[in-house]
Amino acid sequence: MSGAISDVAALAGVSKATASRALTGRGYVSAETRERVVQAAATIGYVASPIAASLSTGRTLAIGVLTSFLNRWYFGEVLEGAEGALRARGYDLTLHHLPPDSPERDRIFDSYLTNKRFDGMISIGIEASQDEIARLLANPRPLVSIGGNIRGAHSINIDDQALGREATEHLITLGHTRIAHITGHDAELQTDTVHGRRLAGYLAAMEDAGLTSAVHVLPAVHSLPGGYEAAAQLLRDARIRPTAVFASTDEVAIGIIIAARRLGITVPAELSVIGIDGHSYAEMFALTTFEQEPRAQGRHAVEILLQDLEDERRAQAPDSGEPGSTVSEVRWPTRLVIRQTTTRPESAE
Amino acid sequence: MSGAISDVAALAGVSKATASRALTGRGYVSAETRERVVQAAATIGYVASPIAASLSTGRTLAIGVLTSFLNRWYFGEVLEGAEGALRARGYDLTLHHLPPDSPERDRIFDSYLTNKRFDGMISIGIEASQDEIARLLANPRPLVSIGGNIRGAHSINIDDQALGREATEHLITLGHTRIAHITGHDAELQTDTVHGRRLAGYLAAMEDAGLTSAVHVLPAVHSLPGGYEAAAQLLRDARIRPTAVFASTDEVAIGIIIAARRLGITVPAELSVIGIDGHSYAEMFALTTFEQEPRAQGRHAVEILLQDLEDERRAQAPDSGEPGSTVSEVRWPTRLVIRQTTTRPESAE
DNA sequence: ATGAAAGCGCTAACAC
DNA sequence: GTGTTAGCGCTTTCAT
């Protein structure tokens, strides 16, 4: 089994170069010899060494993916989308986990960037410091950022502020006034973060509706337990209990439902949940939710990235003009899906 | 920036060979010259090309991870554990997603195995056919299988049958008789699968308790919506409604809780949930659960794998004896955590 | 302790 | 169209 290309060449009675051309499809080979080479390769079960090819061509056919979470639905879905699209195009995916608060964050970051084993990068939900962004952009390889705060690279983002506003206004339209918002913790609320923008949308909508005094913001860890704890705190005191909640994350929203059940109280009349796929988890619980198809986002990121790589390659070619190194900024569509059971504040307990 | 090792060598006034020795730590270099080389490398910001190194040494310093799910808690946690451990040891992780029912399963499998870019493999929750297992084992690179049905390679498994029995017996001890089990779909219930073994444990316990006629098994997709749907079906008819449920997966159990709430009925007195970490999701909802620390499983798999690689390397060395190619089979401990709110069938509605 | 040289397996110019 | 040759950047005998 296996063997090197020289073996294939020998068996087919051609030179290494011809064998390579026949197998990779680059350069002229007569149909006849190609067939012979392919046969020879099949006979000895030849598979090219991507490493040797990489060393020779300078391209690795691998994409580095940097993600902030591995155990949350949204991120898993994006990752799944990207993985599938990459494999379909013949690329490997090397995974790097960069949690927001890691003490070794700097080391991870560095080992990631100096790793020369990928042609391009995709970042999922990475909220990076100015310094980190600068380092990312200094890297010659193209980057597509999904849902983080990175500017200057290709990006796919949803309009978090508009979304926060839309969710809140929806609740206001239904007649709610005591609308709470469960968000991220302090460090995640600087203006230029997902949760910060969603919060801003919430605040703006409340203010516009003259509900500034009813604003109720609660931090939470973005997990089921996090949502549970926040909700338990939020719902405990019946006098100040909100009639509606806008949660910044799926996991948190589910946690709220469970908390409400455990406390033996009726779930707040509305819950808005951000994220998740077409077969939304939240949707089925008859909540109001935003769909944004994370899987499709992952796929789309791959397309942008590979397109950029191809453009770059074409730009290298002797004929073509300038690299046209513009950066695409995709405003990803979201859709408010309304499936409430109880919608009016009166029906809340 | 960057540059090749020849640049470093030139700057330090030594040969490429010495520079290499100084930088990699293999072979003799005087402390003095080493220092000089390291300095030179630092000055020009040299980072070695792992690809060139791989071509030369034959080792890639990368591990391929094959996982059946990316959007489920257990798998995400295992992946996170493995990723961290690998990075700590200087290895890359290339991710491959192999869903159980994929039409292109064979192609994925093949592209994975013929990919020569990794030194070893970790499989997470892969239920493979005989043919697939054979192909996996035919691959010369070592494999550690976590929680699948692969035998003949290093493996980390929990005793699913014992666990199914233990969960069921726990419910029986509490006085329950109408105990339902939510499991996987048909294809997942052949004897040698996670869900099949858990089911077997459940059945055995029921039979031993003379409750064979009370056996109630319901298939479900292993997701929150899946658990929801199964539970909705299970709980709808009050006359045959079980007083306890043993669910085969976290997501399913959470789905059940939500279904119960939505249907406006009290949740079954007990729910046993399989999986999840120390900070168990299920745990906090006061359910009975099994802990098995998936993150630690991921880390442990990495340790076994890298140990094997090191052994192999040592075996290559001229001095040592035989490869000692035994395969480790780890029986991973699980712990039943009991945090029920309502425990007795009387208290069920 | 260090250097010279060969070679990992492939691709890409350049000749023929 | 096909073969020859020269690397890609590193590691590693083998001399010295």
Side-chain angles (χ1 to χ4, degrees):
Chain A
M1 272 286 165
S2 193
I5 199 173
S6 55
D7 300 337
V8 177
L11 183 56
V14 297
S15 71
K16 273 167 51 182
T18 309
S20 172
R21 281 189 283 254
L23 261 17
T24 62
R26 297 181 201 290
Y28 293 104
V29 191
S30 80
E32 182 194 2
T33 38
R34 158 171 297 120
E35 180 55 28
R36 204 144 34 84
V37 172
V38 170
Q39 284 295 343
T43 342
I44 65 174
Y46 169 77
V47 180
S49 156
I51 293 171
S54 291
L55 185 57
S56 174
T57 60
R59 41 194 358 228
T60 61
L61 292 184
I63 297 298
V65 170
L66 191 62
T67 186
S68 46
F69 295 94
L70 287 173
N71 57 3
R72 279 172 55 184
W73 294 322
Y74 170 81
F75 297 86
E77 296 281 341
V78 173
L79 192 55
E80 192 172 319
E83 197 275 345
L86 285 173
R87 196 196 39 251
R89 302 290 262 353
Y91 277 75
D92 270 3
L93 146 21
T94 67
L95 181 67
H96 302 256
H97 177 46
L98 185 73
D101 53 353
S102 170
E104 34 174 10
R105 183 169 172 109
D106 220 62
R107 281 220 336 260
I108 300 176
F109 211 83
D110 226 65
S111 73
Y112 174 61
L113 285 177
T114 60
N115 183 328
K116 300 173 176 173
R117 273 152 131 168
F118 52 81
D119 298 334
M121 324 179 267
I122 293 176
S123 72
I124 311 177
I126 298 293
E127 312 273 13
S129 68
Q130 283 308 317
D131 174 57
E132 289 170 341
I133 294 177
R135 288 201 273 161
L136 278 170
L137 298 180
N139 192 298
R141 283 165 272 276
L143 161 69
V144 180
S145 155
I146 304 178
N149 67 341
I150 298 166
R151 313 210 150 247
H154 297 294
S155 63
I156 297 178
N157 276 101
I158 61 175
D159 190 337
D160 290 300
Q161 174 153 5
L163 172 153
R165 175 184 275 281
E166 192 178 351
T168 310
E169 283 174 349
H170 171 66
L171 296 172
I172 293 170
T173 303
L174 291 175
H176 292 281
T177 54
R178 301 217 314 263
I179 302 168
H181 176 46
I182 304 195
T183 180
H185 56 73
D186 291 354
E188 297 172 325
L189 295 182
Q190 298 130 346
T191 316
D192 196 22
T193 63
V194 169
H195 297 307
R197 290 188 295 269
R198 291 176 187 180
L199 171 59
Y202 162 78
L203 292 175
M206 290 296 272
E207 183 170 356
D208 287 359
L211 295 174
T212 309
S213 63
V215 160
H216 193 343
V217 177
L218 211 63
V221 174
H222 284 275
S223 63
L224 241 139
Y228 179 90
E229 275 173 30
Q233 186 181 337
L234 188 67
L235 305 175
R236 187 158 289 135
D237 187 345
R239 289 166 314 174
I240 61 162
R241 190 180 292 160
T243 62
V245 176
F246 160 40
S248 197
T249 301
D250 293 311
E251 280 88 348
V252 166
I254 305 289
I256 295 171
I257 302 176
I258 302 191
R261 182 214 139 251
R262 173 109 187 272
L263 293 171
I265 62 174
T266 301
V267 145
E270 275 283 342
L271 284 166
S272 281
V273 182
I274 307 304
I276 290 304
D277 219 3
H279 58 286
S280 167
Y281 295 102
E283 194 176 318
M284 74 169 317
F285 308 129
L287 304 174
T288 295
T289 183
F290 280 95
E291 282 188 0
Q292 52 166 309
E293 303 189 88
R295 221 121 78 187
Q297 287 184 45
R299 288 194 296 266
H300 195 66
V302 168
E303 257 147 51
I304 294 174
L305 189 57
L306 299 194
Q307 183 61 52
D308 183 304
L309 287 171
E310 199 172 313
D311 290 352
E312 223 162 64
R313 199 169 51 71
R314 221 195 306 278
Q316 302 289 342
D319 56 333
S320 69
E322 267 308 274
S325 67
T326 46
V327 145
S328 75
E329 296 192 12
V330 176
R331 177 67 72 193
W332 193 266
T334 60
R335 189 166 69 91
L336 188 69
V337 180
I338 301 166
R339 299 261 174 89
Q340 70 274 14
T341 40
T342 41
T343 60
R344 302 277 156 198
E346 299 83 54
S347 67
E349 194 180 346
Chain B
M1 272 288 167
S2 193
I5 200 174
S6 54
D7 300 336
V8 177
L11 184 54
V14 297
S15 72
K16 273 168 52 182
T18 310
S20 172
R21 281 190 282 256
L23 261 16
T24 62
R26 297 180 202 290
Y28 293 105
V29 192
S30 79
E32 183 194 3
T33 38
R34 158 170 296 120
E35 179 57 26
R36 205 143 36 87
V37 172
V38 169
Q39 283 296 341
T43 341
I44 66 174
Y46 168 77
V47 180
S49 156
I51 293 171
S54 290
L55 185 57
S56 176
T57 61
R59 40 191 2 225
T60 61
L61 292 182
I63 298 299
V65 171
L66 190 63
T67 186
S68 46
F69 295 94
L70 286 173
N71 57 4
R72 278 173 54 186
W73 294 323
Y74 170 80
F75 297 86
E77 296 280 340
V78 174
L79 192 55
E80 192 173 318
E83 198 274 345
L86 285 172
R87 196 195 43 248
R89 304 284 292 276
Y91 276 75
D92 270 4
L93 146 22
T94 68
L95 182 67
H96 304 255
H97 178 45
L98 185 74
D101 53 352
S102 171
E104 34 175 10
R105 182 170 172 108
D106 220 60
R107 282 221 335 261
I108 300 176
F109 212 81
D110 226 63
S111 74
Y112 174 62
L113 285 177
T114 60
N115 182 328
K116 300 175 176 171
R117 272 152 131 169
F118 52 80
D119 299 334
M121 324 179 267
I122 294 175
S123 73
I124 310 178
I126 299 294
E127 313 272 12
S129 69
Q130 284 308 316
D131 174 56
E132 289 170 341
I133 294 178
R135 281 153 76 195
L136 278 170
L137 297 180
N139 192 298
R141 284 166 272 275
L143 161 69
V144 180
S145 156
I146 304 178
N149 67 341
I150 298 165
R151 312 209 152 248
H154 298 293
S155 64
I156 297 178
N157 276 101
I158 61 175
D159 189 337
D160 289 300
Q161 174 153 4
L163 172 152
R165 176 184 274 282
E166 192 178 351
T168 311
E169 283 174 349
H170 171 65
L171 297 171
I172 293 171
T173 302
L174 291 175
H176 292 281
T177 54
R178 303 218 313 264
I179 303 168
H181 177 44
I182 304 195
T183 181
H185 57 75
D186 291 354
E188 297 171 326
L189 295 183
Q190 299 128 345
T191 314
D192 196 22
T193 64
V194 168
H195 297 307
R197 290 189 294 269
R198 290 176 187 180
L199 171 59
Y202 161 78
L203 293 175
M206 291 296 273
E207 183 171 355
D208 287 358
L211 295 173
T212 309
S213 63
V215 160
H216 192 343
V217 177
L218 213 63
V221 174
H222 284 275
S223 64
L224 241 138
Y228 179 91
E229 276 172 31
Q233 188 181 335
L234 188 68
L235 304 175
R236 187 159 289 136
D237 186 344
R239 288 166 314 174
I240 62 160
R241 188 178 294 159
T243 62
V245 176
F246 160 41
S248 197
T249 301
D250 294 311
E251 279 88 347
V252 166
I254 305 288
I256 295 171
I257 302 177
I258 302 191
R261 182 211 140 253
R262 174 109 185 269
L263 293 171
I265 63 174
T266 300
V267 144
E270 274 285 341
L271 285 164
S272 281
V273 182
I274 308 303
I276 288 305
D277 217 5
H279 58 286
S280 167
Y281 294 103
E283 194 177 321
M284 72 170 318
F285 309 129
L287 305 174
T288 294
T289 183
F290 280 94
E291 282 189 359
Q292 52 165 309
E293 304 188 88
R295 221 120 77 185
Q297 287 183 46
R299 288 194 297 266
H300 195 66
V302 168
E303 257 147 52
I304 294 174
L305 189 57
L306 299 194
Q307 183 62 52
D308 183 304
L309 286 171
E310 198 172 314
D311 290 352
E312 224 163 62
R313 197 170 51 71
R314 222 196 306 278
Q316 302 289 344
D319 55 334
S320 69
E322 268 308 272
S325 67
T326 46
V327 144
S328 74
E329 297 192 10
V330 176
R331 178 68 72 194
W332 193 265
T334 60
R335 190 166 68 91
L336 188 69
V337 179
I338 302 166
R339 300 263 173 90
Q340 70 274 17
T341 40
T342 42
T343 60
R344 303 276 155 198
E346 299 81 55
S347 67
E349 194 178 347

